[in-house]
Amino acid sequence: MEPKLKLVFADDCVFQQAMMKLLIKRMEIFDLYFTCNDGAELIEKLADAEVLPEICILDLHMPNMGGISTAREIGVRFPEIKIFGYTASADDEEIEDFKRHGASHVFSKTDPAAMLIQIKTILKPVFTR
């Protein structure tokens, strides 16, 4: 069995966290390392982590520290983590700003299962060399 990719998820919505936990549990490629309610909590947990995750999924809009600020901070402090955005926003300018600050892709919240499949497709070749 291949090692699973460690994934962290930050979203201030408890429903989104619960749904993501269920979806990730069904996918054999991912291991949900931890979830957070905002970017500040995520950065704190990453700083204390003995092992860093390979993947981080960030909600664009969160209290305390939103997705753009969090992506920027992760890029500086933990550049080896692959960052993906997750949002209900349809604002193209916001989404492009998210990408400029470190999110390699920004996915819509309308289909989280499809997002995980796309992340698997994007990253699987990178981590199986």
Side-chain angles (χ1 to χ4, degrees):
M1 188 164 123
E2 294 181 37
K4 293 184 176 189
L5 300 174
K6 286 180 224 48
L7 183 148
V8 295
F9 180 70
D11 192 314
D12 58 312
C13 177
V14 176
F15 172 76
Q16 291 289 335
Q17 288 184 23
M19 181 179 53
M20 196 61 67
K21 285 177 187 177
L22 288 173
L23 290 171
I24 290 169
K25 191 174 184 175
R26 292 181 183 168
M27 297 190 76
E28 295 178 5
I29 188 171
F30 299 118
D31 178 25
L32 184 61
Y33 201 39
F34 54 80
T35 61
C36 297
N37 297 310
D38 61 46
E41 180 185 357
L42 175 65
I43 296 297
E44 187 177 304
K45 283 188 174 185
L46 289 173
D48 291 339
E50 289 184 28
V51 177
L52 290 175
E54 288 91 6
I55 305 161
C56 180
I57 300 173
L58 300 172
D59 182 20
L60 176 59
H61 297 118
M62 297 181 286
N64 301 318
M65 187 177 200
I68 293 170
S69 299
T70 305
R72 188 173 38 239
E73 185 73 15
I74 289 171
V76 169
R77 294 180 61 183
F78 314 101
E80 61 276 20
I81 298 174
K82 304 288 184 215
I83 302 167
F84 295 93
Y86 184 65
T87 186
S89 175
D91 183 331
D92 291 337
E93 196 172 307
E94 261 187 334
I95 291 168
E96 285 307 311
D97 199 27
F98 208 173
K99 289 179 181 177
R100 277 192 301 276
H101 288 94
S104 61
H105 292 76
V106 179
F107 298 98
S108 170
K109 285 188 174 184
T110 59
D111 196 348
M115 173 191 66
L116 291 172
I117 290 167
Q118 286 182 306
I119 290 172
K120 174 184 171 183
T121 302
I122 292 164
L123 291 181
K124 187 65 174 159
V126 174
F127 289 104
T128 56
R129 290 182 189 169

